[in-house]
């Protein structure tokens, strides 16, 4: 039987008796995203400091663990604690969520160190060689504790209140002693929107006396659940990419502190016990021996507490340290000891849950475990602070002077699309990664990301150079490595992510160190309108990236008539590829002088270069008035959401339109989809999901009729699987090779005899764990306008479709040897050979677009977004 929280507190009773503005410029920092600047934030709430410091129970009016506490109340308690401890604590509001909930941290130090917080903050950056000045290892270490990144893992925001009380309680001599050597930064809730979605639902549906039975309503969270943020993104997969508002704001403050220890508090299934470090394999090769060792050290501190209380736990299983996306790995690649803590419970657990082992798991017990792990982490930090600061400094010193890995310089070719290049350099700036520019032409050998081979390469003046001789070189290596070294296939996230593929830029990796002292070229900054003529015949804008999609979407909303070229042409000495946007004065007469103002203003806003031309004549190719130049109709776009739909896949589409394009989209719920008047919709997007109940036979026939009548259907991932093999849809799955299977069975009759203990590892044979494949493109089709002959896709599930037959267009396919990087099992590689990936078919007067792979994955795969923009705006026009 698990020890109760009351018993735990009884056994440990002796331990329990600067408002600032950081938002300026934060939300303008992510290139590739239309920014919605929130209103100015009020300062953190104040509270009356009269009366005694209250325990969480006394303040809330109920026992901690009796119910879930709304985010506002958690912050109110934090304000109460800070008000009673003004010489040792302060609240820093660092941002707000999409739903305008405050994001705050509480900074905690001893009275002696509290007045030196700014000095300690600067010292961490000096230890990391990111700031000039003398560094000292005599100052305290910094531990950052992050709670509740997954909203329905809500025990974290309950436990943090007890942690705050401990830190404020002057009677807790042990904690006060730790604070002599430790500054603590506490984020009580990384994901307030998700937390309140869960807490409000649970508090509404729970029984007055919580029902522990797993069948009870209170253990069955409805779609989409509270795990994700407002746009249904998993914030624990966003640490490296920072596509979400919460992540971008948090990372600014994190980089100001650069903690030596970062602990991330989570929950897992309710029938599990508790997980703490050391982590499981695979460890990324750039997790240092010291970081691995200190994982064991902190694990020992936790083990001592858990053993003393007879609490069950496990280590070295499931939770690896490989992909840079997490709250343990990204801090680790920034010099910290990054750790995940996982408590059994999560959304299904509620306040009480009847486990399969016969015990009842309570919220109070879950709080006790996270509370104990928090204390153990702070104790380890305090008692080993000398070692932490020494190794933290050594980490960055070695990174700067003796960088690891084969490659010493990464090159981004200046000949790449300037918009994509600018997005990538802006990303590097947010990561505090330095870069320079090549001063002259250099011929050398290097690894080409395009060919996947080491070959002769030519570095041109103004190419972007990222040197490994800098403090953040470990992070550089991790983000740019072409093929990450995977020591074990049992990992639960993507296994390849190299930035040149993600951003779709031409790049090289060199074994030599190059001089990056060249001047900053003006071409690296995407300028606005290049128009010199007051009233040109037309404006032309190349079609290459997300900024160009945003430019088009804004023009359409401003009622500017836009056309695009179906074929390449040359005008006034410049070449333009298929997909080029054309804004002629003819057709826009109603706008008058406002026409020029709108085009130029939207070009400046989107970061798109437009070229003014004085004539509609093309020296090669079709003239601007040709029938091959097609009008872009402003589409009325809708997306399906609700039960059956993958929440994150829907969120990626929703976020793309609202935050990246600023284009209106209608969200249609699956529960009323059959009653929607579809004639109002031009484009319908079906994100990944199971559509069996969404489109039963009669509803599917209505969908066919809508397409035949002129609708455009975009089916993604699971939606393509649903449509495959159905009447009128050309997409067909590849059948299993029954002859080959029979031959294999005859050749080896013992093939079905598998070992139970190795079954999990054998099952990886048919998985593609975020691996990169080269997709061959037909870039004469509008779905691939703006691309070359290939596209690097991040494949997460095997795709196995036949090529489309007559009436369809195979725009993107994987042929033999398409695999490039990341883990892809042997069976998965066979499936991903000679398979259809994306394409289009005409159905009546409408179109069906199949995207078997998701080009919007987590919003960080920048190079895929133009494909999706083509599908929405250009195909079928």
């Amino acid at each position: 039987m698990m020890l109760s929280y009351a018993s735990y507190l009884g056994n440990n009773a002796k331990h329990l008796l600067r408002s600032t503005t950081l938002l300026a410029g934060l939300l303008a920092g992510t290139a590739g995203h239309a920014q919605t600047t929130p209103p100015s934030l009020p300062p953190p709430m104040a509270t009356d400091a009269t009366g005694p410091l209250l325990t969480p129970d006394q303040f809330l009016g109920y026992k901690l663990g009796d119910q879930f506490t709304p985010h506002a109340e958690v912050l109110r308690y934090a304000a109460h604690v800070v008000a009673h401890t003004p010489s040792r604590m302060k609240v820093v509001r660092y941002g707000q969520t999409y739903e305008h909930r405050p994001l705050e941290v509480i900074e905690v130090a001893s009275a002696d160190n509290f007045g030196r917080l700014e000095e300690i903050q600067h010292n961490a950056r000096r230890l990391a060689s990111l700031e000039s000045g003398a560094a000292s290892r005599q100052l305290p270490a910094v531990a950052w504790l992050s709670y509740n990144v997954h909203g329905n893992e809500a025990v974290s925001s309950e436990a943090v209140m007890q942690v705050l009380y401990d830190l404020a309680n002057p009677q807790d001599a042990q904690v006060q002693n730790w604070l002599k050597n430790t500054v603590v930064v506490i984020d009580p809730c990384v994901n307030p929107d998700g937390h309140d979605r869960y807490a409000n639902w649970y508090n509404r549906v729970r029984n007055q006396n919580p029902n522990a039975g797993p069948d009870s309503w209170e253990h069955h969270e409805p779609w989409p659940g509270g795990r994700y943020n407002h746009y249904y993104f998993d914030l624990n997969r966003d640490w490296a990419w920072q596509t979400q508002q919460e992540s971008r704001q948090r990372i600014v403050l994190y980089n100001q502190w650069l903690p030596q220890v970062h602990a991330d508090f989570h929950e897992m299934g309710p029938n599990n016990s508790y997980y703490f470090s050391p982590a499981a394999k695979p460890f990324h090769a750039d997790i240092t021996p010291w970081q691995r060792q200190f994982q064991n050290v902190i694990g020992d501190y936790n083990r001592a507490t858990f053993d003393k209380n007879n609490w069950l736990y496990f280590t070295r299983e499931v939770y690896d340290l490989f992909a840079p996306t997490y709250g343990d790995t990204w801090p680790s690649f920034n010099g910290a000891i990054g750790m995940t803590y996982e408590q059994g419970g999560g959304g299904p657990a509620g306040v009480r849950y009847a486990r399969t082992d016969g015990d009842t798991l309570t919220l109070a017990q879950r709080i006790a475990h996270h509370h104990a792990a928090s204390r153990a982490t702070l104790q380890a930090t305090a008692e080993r602070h000398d070692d932490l600061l020494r190794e933290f400094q050594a980490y960055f010193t070695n990174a700067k002077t003796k960088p690891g890995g084969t490659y010493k310089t990464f090159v981004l070719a200046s000949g790449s699309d300037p918009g994509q290049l600018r997005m990538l350099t802006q990303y590097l700036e947010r990561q505090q990664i330095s870069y320079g520019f090549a001063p002259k032409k250099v011929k050398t050998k290097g690894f080409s990301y395009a060919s996947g081979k080491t070959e002769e390469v030519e570095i041109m003046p103004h190419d972007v150079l990222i040197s490994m001789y800098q403090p953040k070189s470990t992070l550089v290596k991790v983000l740019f490595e072409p093929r990450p070294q995977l020591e074990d296939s049992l990992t639960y996230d993507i296994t390849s992510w190299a930035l040149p593929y993600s951003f779709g830029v031409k790049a090289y990796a060199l074994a030599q160190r190059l001089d990056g002292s060249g001047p900053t070229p003006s071409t690296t900054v995407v300028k606005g309108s290049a128009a010199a003529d007051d009233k040109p015949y037309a404006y032309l804008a190349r079609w290459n990236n997300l900024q160009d999609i945003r430019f088009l979407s804004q023009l359409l909303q401003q009622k500017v008539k836009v056309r695009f070229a179906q074929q390449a042409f040359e005008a006034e000495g410049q070449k333009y590829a298929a997909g080029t946007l054309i804004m002629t004065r003819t057709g826009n007469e109603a706008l008058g002088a406002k026409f020029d103002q709108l085009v130029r203003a939207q070009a400046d806003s989107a970061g798109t270069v437009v070229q003014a031309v004085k004539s509609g004549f093309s020296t090669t190719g079709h003239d601007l008035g040709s029938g091959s130049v097609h009008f872009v109709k402003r589409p009325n776009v809708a997306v399906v959401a609700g039960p059956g739909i993958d929440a994150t896949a829907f969120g990626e589409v929703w976020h793309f339109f609202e935050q990246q394009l600023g284009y209106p989209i209608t969200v249609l719920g699956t529960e009323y989809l059959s009653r929607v008047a579809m004639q109002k919709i031009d484009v319908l997007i079906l994100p990944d999901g199971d559509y069996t109940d969404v489109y039963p036979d009669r509803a599917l026939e209505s969908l066919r009729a809508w397409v035949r009548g002129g609708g455009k259907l975009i089916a993604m991932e699971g939606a393509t699987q649903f449509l495959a093999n159905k009447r009128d849809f050309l997409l067909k799955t590849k059948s299993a090779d029954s002859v080959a299977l029979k031959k294999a069975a005859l050749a080896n009759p013992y093939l079905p005899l598998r070992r139970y203990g190795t079954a999990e590892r054998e099952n990886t044979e048919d998985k593609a764990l975020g691996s990169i494949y080269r997709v061959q493109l037909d870039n004469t089709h509008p779905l691939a306008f703006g691309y070359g002959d290939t596209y690097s896709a991040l494949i997460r599930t095997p795709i196995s479709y036949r090529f489309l037959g007559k009436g369809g267009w195979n725009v993107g396919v994987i042929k033999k040897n398409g695999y490039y990087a990341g883990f892809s099992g042997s069976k998965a590689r066979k499936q991903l050979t000679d398979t259809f990936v994306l394409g289009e078919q005409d159905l009546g007067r409408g179109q069906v677009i199949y995207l078997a792979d998701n080009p919007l994955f987590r919003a960080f795969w920048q190079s895929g977004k133009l494909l999706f923009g083509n599908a929405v705006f250009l195909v079928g026009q």
Side-chain angles (χ1 to χ4, degrees), residues 245-259:
Q245 181 168 302
E246 296 90 341
S247 303
R248 295 194 300 273
Q249 295 171 142
R250 181 178 68 254
I251 294 306
V252 171
L253 183 62
Y254 185 98
N255 277 330
Q256 289 178 0
W257 272 110
L258 278 183

Side-chain angles (χ1 to χ4, degrees), residues 535-539 583-586 595 613-617 624-625:
K535 292 186 177 181
Y537 181 91
Y539 293 97
M583 290 70 67
T584 58
R585 190 167 302 279
T586 298
F595 167 66
V613 293
K614 298 179 180 179
S615 171
F617 176 74
L624 302 191

Side-chain angles (χ1 to χ4, degrees), residues 387-428:
D387 295 337
L388 282 165
L389 290 178
R390 182 187 67 249
E391 295 297 333
F392 181 78
Q393 185 176 33
Y395 181 94
F396 288 99
T397 299
N398 290 335
K400 185 177 181 180
T401 60
K402 296 182 292 184
T406 302
Y407 304 116
K408 303 308 177 188
T409 306
F410 295 95
V411 182
L412 309 177
S414 55
S416 303
D417 172 65
Q420 294 291 89
L421 192 60
R422 182 57 186 158
M423 281 199 296
L424 180 44
T425 55
Q426 286 177 331
Y427 172 82
L428 297 177

Side-chain angles (χ1 to χ4, degrees), residues 193-364:
D193 291 351
H195 169 86
D196 277 5
R197 189 184 311 130
Y198 173 77
N200 292 337
W201 166 78
Y202 182 83
N203 290 337
R204 177 172 57 82
V205 304
R206 59 169 282 182
N207 288 4
Q208 183 174 351
N209 295 315
N211 188 326
D215 293 332
S216 178
W217 188 14
E218 61 195 87
H219 302 296
H220 293 269
E221 195 180 357
W223 191 95
R227 178 181 178 89
Y228 311 115
N229 77 339
H230 171 78
Y231 283 105
Y232 306 154
F233 274 67
D234 187 331
L235 293 179
N236 195 42
R237 270 74 174 170
D238 196 44
W239 277 84
W241 317 127
Q242 300 154 30
T243 69
Q244 298 302 289
Q245 181 168 302
E246 296 90 341
S247 303
R248 295 194 300 273
Q249 295 171 142
R250 181 178 68 254
I251 294 306
V252 171
L253 183 62
Y254 185 98
N255 277 330
Q256 289 178 0
W257 272 110
L258 278 183
Q260 286 79 55
V261 172
H262 182 265
D264 200 18
F265 291 83
H266 292 261
E267 290 187 83
M268 50 189 162
N271 287 301
N272 292 295
S273 57
Y274 196 95
Y275 163 82
F276 50 75
S277 61
K281 290 182 178 182
F283 280 74
H284 193 282
D286 292 298
I287 302 292
T288 68
W290 158 254
Q291 288 174 318
R292 296 181 187 222
Q293 177 189 340
F294 209 82
Q295 284 251 329
N296 292 323
V297 169
I298 295 185
D300 289 343
Y301 276 83
N302 279 291
R303 182 167 50 80
T305 298
F306 276 65
D307 284 346
K308 179 180 178 181
N309 290 288
N310 297 313
W311 292 336
L312 296 176
Y313 61 89
F314 66 92
T315 65
R316 298 163 295 178
E317 297 179 53
V318 183
Y319 302 103
D320 60 65
L321 287 174
F322 187 69
T325 53
Y326 296 105
D328 50 14
T329 49
W330 187 85
S332 294
F333 299 135
N334 282 272
I337 307 300
M339 295 164 300
T340 290
Y341 290 109
E342 293 274 355
Q343 163 63 48
V351 173
R352 295 173 59 83
Y353 186 86
R355 293 159 49 107
T356 55
D357 62 6
D359 278 347
T360 296
L361 177 66
T362 68
L363 179 58

